Amino acid sequence: MILHRYFAGRFLRTFLGVATVFFLIMLFVDLVDQLRRFGNQDATFGDLVMLSLLNIPQAFYAILPLIMILATIALFLSLSRSSEMVVTRAAGRSALKSLLAPLFVALLIGIFAVGVMNPIVAGTSKEFEARSDALRGDSSVLSFGSSGLWLRQGNSEGQTVIRAQNANLDGTRLTNVTFLTFAPDGSPTTRINAASAELTTGAWVLRDVKSWQLAGVTTPEANAELTPDRTVQSTLTPDQIRDSFGTPSSIPIWELPAFIDRLQTAGFSAQRHLVWFHTELALPIFLVSMVLIGASFTLRHQRGGRTGLMVMFAVLLAFVTYFIRNFAQVLGENGELPVLLAAWAPPFAAIGISMGFLLHNEDG
């Protein structure tokens, strides 16, 4: 147990060191990008630093497998150079048993990432988008609640909140819809109810419309208008609508199952969200596979110029595995693969391949 604790502590410190280096590099690069994007806006340097801090968690979360493989390589190269692994094996401890502690730490990091970091990333991503929209002076957000579908559009001249009972797959055709327009000071100006609304180029086309003027009117119902159709200007595009509700990473994993149910009830396809949900659940297993891949090439005692070659093979195999995982995720989102197969097959396949390398190196 003492040896296991020692290897676990060494691996955790190595992982935190590599993660800190990547975090600082990404923070500096993102800050430069925010200066370029909002340098001409009315934003202070503190605002830009806050934007970078809000944007970094999403990018950092995405490269966790890369950090894991680099931490594994750094750990076992360090143990090989100091001959600690040689002494461990000479004492009768096999290489596979020596891997138990790093694998357990990697599994705990994966569980922490899914259970804690995932909601943090979802929250910081939403806040980043909200602050970016505020600096740009426009916004477009869509969300789902128990009472239906909610969408917001607008610019510096005002905001419009749209609520619909149902929608088509891309969110461009709404039924039982309400438009509530607000002035820049936050006061409501107009309410419109319609049986349906369809998004065209630069406008919503409404059918069976009833509208009320709310600004400066004591009895809006007295001046209500009934019209067969009406056009409402819009700054939204179909791509913006799909992007605003189609990013599963912006939803905390604890809320994702309920969101998927609301999505399907509203008439949208939840395939992307289902694949993302299972991919997130498989993340701890995928991080374990990264440790096994790194160990399979660097666990043995390194001599001469083979060290660089083994490191290159480990990193290359890790990138290939990461690409296959993303490719399977895309196939799953498009319905070409079953959800469970797309999410869980790549990490278990990577574990099988790396275990084959390890057993070959150990037993010949």
Side-chain angles (χ1 to χ4, degrees), residues 9 25 76 82 89 121 133 148 164 181 185 202 217 256 271 282 287 292 298 300 308 340:
I25 293 175
F76 287 112
S82 61
R89 298 173 74 173
V121 169
D133 290 341
T181 303
D185 61 359
V217 178
L256 198 53
Q271 185 74 9
L287 295 183
L292 287 172
T298 58
R300 302 183 66 182
L340 296 179

Side-chain angles (χ1 to χ4, degrees), residues 107-125:
L107 185 64
L108 291 181
I109 292 174
I111 294 174
F112 176 82
V114 174
V116 178
M117 287 188 63
N118 179 282
I120 292 175
V121 169
T124 55
S125 299

Side-chain angles (χ1 to χ4, degrees), residues 13 36-37 43 61 132 197 229 234 252 257 261 285 303 323 346:
R13 289 192 296 271
R36 180 184 58 82
R37 293 175 59 193
Y61 187 76
S132 299
D229 55 60
S234 175
D261 290 338
I285 306 299
R303 295 183 179 86
F323 170 78

Side-chain angles (χ1 to χ4, degrees), residues 57 163 177 208 222 248 258 269 277 280 290 295 301 308 335 344:
R163 183 262 182 192
V177 59
D208 297 331
S269 172
F277 178 68
E280 287 297 287
M290 292 292 103
H301 189 66
W344 293 92

Side-chain angles (χ1 to χ4, degrees), residues 267-313:
F268 289 88
S269 172
Q271 185 74 9
R272 289 185 63 193
H273 297 77
L274 283 170
V275 174
W276 173 261
F277 178 68
H278 284 278
T279 302
E280 287 297 287
L281 292 180
L283 180 61
I285 306 299
F286 189 70
L287 295 183
V288 167
S289 71
M290 292 292 103
V291 175
L292 287 172
I293 290 174
S296 63
F297 289 96
T298 58
L299 191 59
R300 302 183 66 182
H301 189 66
Q302 306 299 321
R303 295 183 179 86
R306 294 192 60 195
T307 301
L309 188 63
M310 292 297 102
V311 170
M312 184 186 70
F313 283 151

Side-chain angles (χ1 to χ4, degrees), residues 19-32:
T20 301
V21 171
F22 270 86
F23 183 86
L24 293 177
I25 293 175
M26 294 168 62
L27 179 62
F28 176 77
V29 173
D30 190 82
L31 182 58
V32 173

